């Protein structure tokens, strides 16, 4: 009788854990889906920055390029980031919570309990890189106007990438994406709760503290990792012309930017601003949903 009761308690705890996991995925997906509105609104801004990353042009030159191409092509490449953004939040928050609960079950762990959210975020970032590198690859090919004539449609791009080896097709620039996403996710989840608790201690409301946490977190992450995004954009935008390794691609990019950090960060302020707003909204919505579900 006692063993049956104990088994029932274990089943109840397992069911409760499953419910918590499901809510984490649901809340992450919902918050990201709502924040995709900012993706739609700011996509022309993002595309302008992409041209700066690719060609190291001034803002007015990038805008002139987009204006010359016309309004019909302004939103070419918007579908992959919309899909990626919606699925990204679902998996990122859900997987991090799943990994965190699993890590918390360890009786003896060499990692301090305060570092477990960051470690779980690192794992979620690795999975994120594996799943979403193809989305980013397609997006960058679509946004490069030099591919418009040879690859005019999404179907032609998918067919072209599918016919290539993974390293030069869908998974071009996987290593820098892996480093960027894993470090970014680890920092985000490692800093999120301590930063939010500090803001609450200074009298911020829960919603305000969550929004500010998302903004500050994004700024801390985006500033040092922005060069990796520039490297990824330059590696993934080309379809033909040979496959370069990360080292060769970085050396070529650094030389093209005249070995000046300021040119490498050209357009960075716009990307970081957009990222801060998006993650501020996402964090605020996610935390609000999580509080209401308790």
């Amino acid at each position: 009788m006692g063993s049956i009761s104990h088994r029932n308690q274990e089943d109840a705890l397992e069911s409760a854990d499953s419910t918590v996991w499901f809510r984490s995925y649901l809340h992450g997906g919902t918050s990201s889906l709502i924040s995709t509105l900012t993706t739609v609104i700011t996509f022309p801004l993002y595309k302008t920055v992409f041209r700066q990353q690719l060609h190291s042009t001034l803002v007015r030159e990038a805008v002139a390029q987009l204006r010359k191409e016309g309004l019909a092509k302004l939103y070419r490449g918007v579908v992959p980031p919309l899909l990626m953004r919606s699925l990204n939040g679902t998996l990122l928050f859900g997987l991090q919570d799943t990994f965190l609960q699993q890590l918390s079950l360890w009786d003896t762990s060499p990692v301090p309990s305060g570092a477990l959210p960051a470690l779980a975020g690192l794992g979620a970032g690795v999975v994120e890189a594996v799943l979403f590198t193809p989305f980013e690859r397609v997006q960058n090919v679509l946004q490069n106007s030099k591919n418009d004539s040879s690859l005019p449609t999404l179907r032609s791009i998918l067919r072209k990438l599918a016919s290539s080896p993974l390293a030069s097709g869908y998974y071009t620039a996987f290593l820098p994406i892996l480093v960027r996403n894993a470090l970014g996710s680890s920092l985000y989840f490692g800093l999120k709760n301590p930063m939010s608790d500090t803001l609450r201690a200074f009298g911020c409301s829960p919603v305000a503290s969550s929004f500010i946490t998302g903004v500050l977190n994004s700024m801390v992450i985006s500033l040092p990792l922005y060069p990796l995004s520039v490297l990824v954009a330059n590696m993934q935008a080309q379809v033909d012309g040979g496959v370069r390794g990360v080292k060769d691609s970085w050396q070529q990019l650094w030389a093209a930017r005249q070995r000046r950090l300021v040119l490498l960060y050209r357009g960075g302020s716009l990307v970081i601003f957009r990222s801060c707003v998006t993650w501020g909204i996402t964090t605020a919505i996610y935390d609000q949903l999580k509080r209401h579900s308790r």
Side-chain angles (χ1 to χ4, degrees):
M1 188 75 175
S3 62
I4 295 174
S5 175
H6 179 68
R7 192 181 306 126
N8 289 338
Q9 288 178 355
E10 288 182 341
D11 291 343
L13 286 173
E14 185 177 350
S15 176
D17 288 343
S18 299
T19 302
V20 170
W21 291 349
F22 173 75
R23 285 176 178 172
S24 297
Y25 286 96
L26 180 63
H27 296 161
T30 302
S31 59
S32 294
L33 185 62
I34 295 173
S35 67
T36 54
L37 292 173
T38 62
T39 302
V40 175
I41 294 170
T42 62
F43 184 73
L45 175 66
Y46 178 85
K47 200 165 184 178
T48 302
V49 172
F50 173 79
R51 296 296 173 84
Q52 290 187 275
Q53 291 177 339
L54 198 61
H55 306 300
S56 187
T57 58
L58 298 173
V59 173
R60 64 175 180 270
E61 294 170 337
V63 170
Q65 285 181 7
L66 296 177
R67 187 177 296 172
K68 185 178 180 181
E69 292 168 17
L71 191 62
K73 290 187 177 180
L74 184 60
Y75 275 86
R76 176 180 161 92
V78 73
V79 174
L82 283 178
L83 291 174
M84 187 166 61
R85 183 67 193 158
S86 300
L87 294 173
N88 173 267
T90 303
L91 291 176
L92 187 63
F93 285 100
L95 285 172
Q96 192 272 344
D97 198 46
T98 300
F99 289 153
L100 181 59
Q101 290 192 45
Q102 293 299 310
L103 290 170
S104 300
L105 294 176
W106 291 359
D107 294 329
T108 56
S109 172
V111 181
S113 59
L116 290 182
L119 182 59
L122 182 71
V126 170
V127 176
E128 179 191 25
V130 172
L131 294 177
F132 293 113
T133 294
F135 285 87
E136 194 164 352
R137 170 65 156 149
V138 173
Q139 176 187 351
N140 284 330
V141 173
L142 278 168
Q143 290 183 145
N144 186 3
S145 60
K146 292 183 179 179
N147 299 320
D148 289 357
S149 57
S150 59
L151 299 168
T153 64
L154 177 60
R155 179 177 295 182
S156 64
I157 292 172
L158 296 177
R159 190 183 299 116
K160 176 68 176 179
L161 295 178
S163 66
S164 305
L166 285 178
S168 59
Y170 284 115
Y171 278 87
T172 298
F174 174 69
L175 185 59
I177 289 175
L178 177 66
V179 172
R180 182 196 64 191
N181 290 13
L183 285 178
S185 298
S186 181
L187 286 170
Y188 175 81
F189 288 106
L191 295 173
K192 181 174 177 289
N193 288 337
M195 197 177 289
S196 183
D197 291 343
T198 301
L199 290 168
R200 294 281 295 277
F202 279 98
C204 286
S205 67
V207 175
S209 64
S210 295
F211 178 79
I212 296 171
T213 295
V215 170
L216 294 178
N217 233 339
S218 180
M219 189 177 298
V220 169
I221 295 166
S222 298
L223 279 171
L225 296 182
Y226 179 76
L228 284 177
S229 294
V230 179
L231 176 63
V232 168
N234 279 268
M235 290 181 70
Q236 290 192 333
Q238 313 299 330
V239 178
D240 296 311
V243 181
R244 294 179 179 271
V246 175
K247 183 179 179 181
D248 288 343
S249 297
W250 172 256
Q251 289 176 343
Q252 184 183 39
L253 174 63
W254 187 235
R257 297 301 187 268
Q258 302 171 35
R259 303 183 182 277
R260 295 173 59 190
L261 199 61
V262 66
L263 293 180
L264 189 64
Y265 272 86
R266 178 168 281 175
S269 58
L270 296 176
V271 169
I272 293 169
F273 173 75
R274 173 180 175 268
S275 178
C276 288
V277 172
T278 300
W279 277 105
I281 294 171
T282 300
T283 305
I285 295 172
Y286 177 81
D287 286 350
Q288 189 73 357
L289 291 171
K290 195 171 183 179
R291 281 190 289 267
H292 282 299
S293 68
R294 290 173 179 171

